[in-house]
Amino acid sequence: MKALVFLNGECDLSDDDIRSYAADSDGLFCADGGARHIHRIGLVPTLVAGDMDSIGRDLLDWFSSAGVEMKKFLPDKDSSDAELLFEILFSRGY
């Protein structure tokens, strides 16, 4: 299975390139702030994981209303949001 992962930070790919990769993936997965990238270009993630400190309440509400799976973790954790996301993906066979 192919997972397309979005993380927080800079993204040098064009929106068209991202859409092309998304069309060829089995799921779109975001670690916290990476969800802003996917939303900006009009895609809906399969899952958003993290402590959600980089996503505004409006965006969280939008994802929830769109049926996006949300895995929220406490801010006081030993792993980064990206590490938590990859643990979830590996446990699901990605």
Side-chain angles (χ1 to χ4, degrees):
M1 293 195 304
K2 293 181 188 177
L4 184 58
V5 174
F6 294 82
L7 306 175
N8 203 2
E10 300 281 326
C11 181
D12 293 334
L13 295 173
S14 73
D15 292 353
D16 288 337
D17 285 340
I18 294 170
R19 285 186 194 96
S20 176
Y21 287 125
D24 191 39
S25 72
D26 297 307
L28 308 177
F29 302 93
C30 303
D32 200 346
R36 292 191 323 263
H37 293 300
I38 198 170
H39 182 261
R40 180 186 57 76
I41 62 173
L43 298 173
V44 178
T46 306
L47 168 83
V48 178
D51 57 18
M52 310 304 174
D53 67 341
S54 299
I55 304 175
R57 182 83 242 160
D58 290 346
L59 188 52
L60 286 172
D61 290 344
W62 188 90
F63 285 139
S64 180
S65 68
V68 174
E69 181 181 1
M70 309 290 286
K71 293 284 187 183
K72 185 170 182 176
F73 296 89
L74 295 174
D76 185 23
K77 57 191 183 322
D78 292 329
S79 301
S80 71
D81 294 328
E83 289 170 325
L84 294 168
L85 177 62
F86 284 113
E87 286 177 18
I88 292 168
L89 292 176
F90 294 147
S91 75
R92 295 182 181 187
Y94 283 91

